[in-house]
């Protein structure tokens, strides 16, 4: 067995401080040649749970392992996976079931400890001393991004502004049925130059105090905040929704007189909803078919059938023919929570019939589940979810197979950024000279 | 005068897209600065602005022309003017200088290493050379530059009379160690130690000027030996892998300890911009005072800058006034600038080589001598100043403008090259494994 004292393995991770959607390079050097090594990642999340991932490697003839080029022979991921140490993170053995990794405080980074262990280990990492270890920071916010809490007009929201003079394009960012004010995607989009407003529309202060759900004007007020902001280009505002957020996004894009959306992105959602309904009506509609809930062998709740079959009655789905702006629809084909695939197909048909299907782009990912998050977010096939209907915490099955789901997250994000940039910025336009260098 | 018009239109913003990678990097990492979505063939200025801890503003800028895809890439395109010209991927950092109207004789040094240096990188329309504050850039980003990698621990040391700061890399260790010593300006300068720890070395930055213990040469010598041993005895340090790193006066101390100590055996030494003039049995303070007794050799140039390099040259002929480098028995790297106006580094390096060859230990010596490079050879991309205000530590003298030397571009190239050579020297001497055991 190698004497630890003589084995001064060097571990190098670049960048040591990166944005969460940036790739990193992990190099192990100065190991003996042909040596078995385990590269391990450990993260303690805000809730105090520990998450880990690891890959098994063999050093080459000069004692080097390069995670971006060498295959992992086993562990929580296998094959050549540059970012496997992040996307395959899972709760350490003994953790409570149903956990999901989400960053709530975006002003400080995620800290991940990357270590190298001797041999091909699968457990007991905490009881061993690694050969080397470094700390890596993963940020949801680029330097200079401002975080501005918004409480006017009864809103519970946070605005993230990119650094620089602006003006910037704007975006309304909506999450799903879990509620809360979730900021991380908006802060990441601001780090890419888009002034983004994360909006809490299920559990905002006003609902907590009055026990009443918000009305549709709530969303229009949020839009106005963006439109009127001196650093936002008022005619360049988009909307992004995931899950229930998709329902709102489509409703606004098709029916709002106030919102003039430049483009919309809908992830893991559906256009099925009572067309003239309020927030309450929309939620009640989903619960009407609660008896169609299925339960998996592991006692996980499958809710995708509640909205199936997609109705032909136009009173119960958004009239997609009314859309006037480009729409990007992202679906996971293994989504067990919403019938996103079936809905996407119906949306396409409706738009083809209406003659506006040139506005639609559908990204459909095999074996991806419901929670299509920013890249390298650990995949949760199921997790505890507080149902809005019953107020109980239940184990929801989201679906997806980890490797395929992670690939989908990476690809969808790249395409989403290109879509937003193309539609919210005018891009190069050589025919129209800029006046600024007169 | 350039006027920027902003029309409000119904079309989306046409502002260019600036991306700088990494947005949070270590100070010795290269930046990739790319501007896209510019009108093709259009003149722009890339500008960097830094607000120092001393409340001064430093700036650098380069004049570019976008290509016909509307792009500027600082690592690939030429700067046509500004504070740097040519293909310079890091020009926005190393060519920084105080903005017009600043106080004179400034030097940029980061004292708090737990926070990053912040740089505003902006794109301005046209080729601008002044009045940046009065104009609105087209776009800008904020970049952090860190001396400390995440996970590096910073520990105040007040032990056995030694005052300093210890930086420990993340991980279980054990690690090689370094005693890090600065020059005659004194104070506790931590940034190089923090950076060395970020590269895997336990580093002790020492404050060796204001202590009462340094009243005699003998006590002073013991102080350095004690400091060395603090590193050596640290549970996370490999005891036979501790080196010494000095700049200017710190180099002198390094050579002296390496030559004379019977207790301390550095594994290797790095001496930047140092001389080996050490009147035996005198303290550091007395060495600093030496210029005053040789004030007839002090030159003041046409800009009123004090030039010290010639004050020591006469010592070359007197062996009793030099460190006995023949006794050094570890690898030693000398890094010097040919235009060093503070210390005759060139002549000293030559003399050290002669003495070591004569003593039979010349094979331990490596030297690099950079043309048009001055005295302050700092970590890469640090701005260059040919002269700056200086007040000798612990000595009741007034502040003078000392001439350090060097021309900005060659000096900056030297800093970059020297750092690479220093890191590889340290890696080779402190990290290379001992011959592997036979496999069982």
């Amino acid at each position: 067995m190698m004497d630890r004292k003589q084995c001064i393995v060097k571990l190098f991770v670049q960048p040591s401080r990166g944005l969460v959607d940036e790739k990193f390079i992990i190099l192990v050097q100065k190991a003996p040649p042909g040596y078995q090594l385990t590269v391990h990642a450990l993260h303690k999340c805000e809730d105090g749970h520990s998450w880990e991932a690891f890959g098994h490697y063999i050093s080459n003839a000069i004692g080097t392992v390069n995670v971006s080029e060498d295959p992992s022979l086993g562990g929580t991921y296998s094959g050549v996976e540059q970012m496997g140490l992040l996307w395959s993170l899972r709760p350490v053995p003994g953790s409570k079931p149903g956990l999901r990794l989400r960053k709530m405080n975006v002003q400080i980074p995620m800290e991940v400890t990357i270590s190298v262990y001797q041999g091909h280990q699968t457990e007991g990492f905490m009881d061993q001393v690694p050969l080397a270890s470094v700390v890596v920071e993963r940020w949801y916010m680029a330097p200079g991004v401002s975080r501005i809490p918004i409480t006017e007009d009864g809103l519970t929201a946070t605005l993230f502004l990119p650094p620089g003079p602006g003006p910037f394009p704007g975006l309304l960012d909506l999450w799903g049925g879990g509620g809360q004010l979730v900021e991380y995607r908006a802060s990441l989009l601001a780090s890419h130059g888009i002034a983004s407003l994360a909006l809490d529309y299920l559990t905002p202060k006003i609902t907590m105090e009055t026990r009443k759900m918000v009305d549709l004007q709530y969303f229009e007020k949020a839009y106005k905040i963006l439109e009127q902001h001196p650093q936002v280009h008022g005619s360049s505002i988009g909307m992004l929704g995931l899950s229930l957020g998709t329902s709102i996004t489509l409703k606004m894009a098709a029916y709002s007189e106030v919102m003039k959306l430049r483009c919309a992105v809908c992830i893991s959602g559906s256009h099925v909803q009572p067309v003239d309904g309020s927030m309450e009506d929309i939620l009640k509609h989903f619960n009407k078919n609660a008896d169609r809930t299925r339960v998996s062998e592991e006692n996980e709740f499958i809710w995708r059938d509640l909205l199936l079959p997609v109705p032909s009655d136009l009173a119960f789905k958004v009239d997609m023919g009314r859309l006037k702006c480009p729409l990007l629809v992202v679906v996971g084909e293994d989504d067990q929570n919403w019938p996103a695939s079936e809905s996407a197909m119906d949306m396409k048909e409706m738009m083809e019939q209406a003659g506006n299907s040139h506005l639609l782009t559908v990204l459909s990912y095999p074996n991806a589940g419901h929670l299509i998050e920013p890249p390298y977010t650990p995949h949760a096939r199921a997790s505890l979810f507080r149902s809005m209907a019953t107020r109980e915490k239940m184990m929801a099955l989201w679906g997806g197979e980890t490797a395929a789901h992670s690939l989908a997250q990476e690809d969808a994000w790249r395409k989403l950024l290109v879509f937003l940039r193309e539609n919210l910025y005018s891009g190069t336009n050589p025919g129209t000279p800029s006046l600024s260098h007169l | 005068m350039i006027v920027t018009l902003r029309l409000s239109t119904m079309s989306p913003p046409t502002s260019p897209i600036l991306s700088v990678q990494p947005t949070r990097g270590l100070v010795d990492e290269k930046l990739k600065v790319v501007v896209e979505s510019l009108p093709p063939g259009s003149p722009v200025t890339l500008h960097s602005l830094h607000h120092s801890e001393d409340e001064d503003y430093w700036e650098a800028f380069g004049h570019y022309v976008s290509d016909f895809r509307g792009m500027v890439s600082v690592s690939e395109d030429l700067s046509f003017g500004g504070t740097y010209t040519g293909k310079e991927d890091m020009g926005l950092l190393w060519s920084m200088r105080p903005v017009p109207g600043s106080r004179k004789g400034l030097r940029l040094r980061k004292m708090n290493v737990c926070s990053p240096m912040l740089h505003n990188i902006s794109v301005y329309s046209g080729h601008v050379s002044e009045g940046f504050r009065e104009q609105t850039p087209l776009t800008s980003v904020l970049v952090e530059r860190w001396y400390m990698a995440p996970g590096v621990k910073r520990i105040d040391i007040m032990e056995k009379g030694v005052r300093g700061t210890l930086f420990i890399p993340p991980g279980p260790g054990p690690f090689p160690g370094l005693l890090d010593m600065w020059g005659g300006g004194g104070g506790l300068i931590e940034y190089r130690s923090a950076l060395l720890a970020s590269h895997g070395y336990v580093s002790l930055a020492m404050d060796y000027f204001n202590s009462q213990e340094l009243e005699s040469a003998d006590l002073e010598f013991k102080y350095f030996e004690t400091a060395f041993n603090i590193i050596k005895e640290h549970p996370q340090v490999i005891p036979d892998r501790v080196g010494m790193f000095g700049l200017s006066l710190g180099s002198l101390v390094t050579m002296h300890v390496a030559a004379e100590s019977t207790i301390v055996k550095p594994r290797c030494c790095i001496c930047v911009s140092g001389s080996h003039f050490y009147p035996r049995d005198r303290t550091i303070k007395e060495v600093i005072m030496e210029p005053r007794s040789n004030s007839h050799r002090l030159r003041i140039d046409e800009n009123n800058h004090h030039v010290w390099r010639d004050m020591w040259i006469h010592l070359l002929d007197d062996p009793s006034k030099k460190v006995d480098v023949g006794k050094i028995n570890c690898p030693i790297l000398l890094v010097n600038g040919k235009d060093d106006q503070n210390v005759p580094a060139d002549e000293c390096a030559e003399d050290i080589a002669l003495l070591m060859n004569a003593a039979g230990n010349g094979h331990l010596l490596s030297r690099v001598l950079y043309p048009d490079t001055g005295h302050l050879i700092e970590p890469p991309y640090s701005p260059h100043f040919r002269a700056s205000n200086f007040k000798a530590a612990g000595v009741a003298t007034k502040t003078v403008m000392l001439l350090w030397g060097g021309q900005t571009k060659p000096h900056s190239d030297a800093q970059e090259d020297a750092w690479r050579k220093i890191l590889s020297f340290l890696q080779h001497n402190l990290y290379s494994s001992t011959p592997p055991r036979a496999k069982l």
Side-chain angles (χ1 to χ4, degrees), chain A residues 364-375:
Chain A
S364 179
Y365 295 99
N367 295 319
H370 183 69
L371 299 175
I372 300 178
E373 298 256 33

Side-chain angles (χ1 to χ4, degrees), chain A residues 87-103:
Chain A
W87 58 252
S88 74
L89 280 171
R90 62 195 192 184
V92 296
S95 298
K96 57 181 245 211
L99 296 176
R100 183 178 165 190
L101 187 59
R102 309 191 87 183
K103 191 86 168 71

